[in-house]
Amino acid sequence: RSDSYDRSDRRRDDRDSNVTEGLLFLGGINRTVRKSDVQATFEKHVDVANVFMNGRCAFIELVNPSDSEVLLRMFRSKSDFEGTRIEVGEGVQFKLSNNPDILRRMRGVGMD
């Protein structure tokens, strides 16, 4: 590998890791859950910048990316969502997102 390839590779890796920083994926939610339900639930614990709903999943962008660790520790299974307005199925998934396109759409288009 040449030096120029290494430098461009590092730039791409840096750009992609920054894009998904502070973006969480929540899957397996009931279709009746609204954006405001997701935002209100997580804003009790951290500052939420934006929420993008797509069918039975939501993407949550945090103001402070390091807050993702707080939420990931608090919401690990279906029972952790009890008492919130978010209805989840048995197969709930809550994790860091690795989809940079979602965050670009959230920031560029401002979708609700």
Side-chain angles (χ1 to χ4, degrees):
R1 288 171 31 151
S2 70
D3 283 342
S4 64
Y5 179 77
D6 290 339
R7 280 193 301 268
S8 65
D9 219 18
R10 276 195 301 271
R11 279 195 305 270
R12 187 185 72 240
D13 291 343
D14 289 345
R15 185 184 68 240
D16 289 345
S17 66
N18 289 337
V19 167
T20 56
E21 195 173 289
L23 184 65
L24 296 168
F25 169 80
L26 174 60
I29 58 178
N30 189 303
R31 289 193 184 276
T32 61
V33 174
R34 297 181 321 244
K35 175 181 176 176
S36 59
D37 299 331
V38 174
Q39 192 146 357
T41 296
F42 295 121
E43 280 188 337
K44 292 177 184 173
H45 310 286
V46 299
D47 291 327
V48 174
N50 198 359
V51 174
F52 174 67
M53 302 289 294
N54 186 4
R56 294 194 56 207
C57 65
F59 292 87
I60 302 104
E61 180 185 11
L62 304 178
V63 172
N64 184 354
S66 64
D67 285 342
S68 59
E69 296 171 18
V70 172
L71 292 180
L72 290 171
R73 280 194 307 269
M74 294 179 79
F75 296 94
R76 295 179 185 206
S77 67
K78 179 179 178 172
S79 63
D80 295 327
F81 287 92
E82 290 174 8
T84 73
R85 296 188 63 179
I86 301 177
E87 291 182 44
V88 297
E90 293 296 332
V92 63
Q93 295 180 43
F94 189 53
K95 60 186 180 181
L96 288 172
S97 175
N98 59 359
N99 189 338
D101 293 332
I102 292 294
L103 189 54
R104 288 185 189 110
R105 288 178 66 192
M106 289 168 70
R107 289 181 176 169
V109 180
M111 297 179 180
D112 288 344

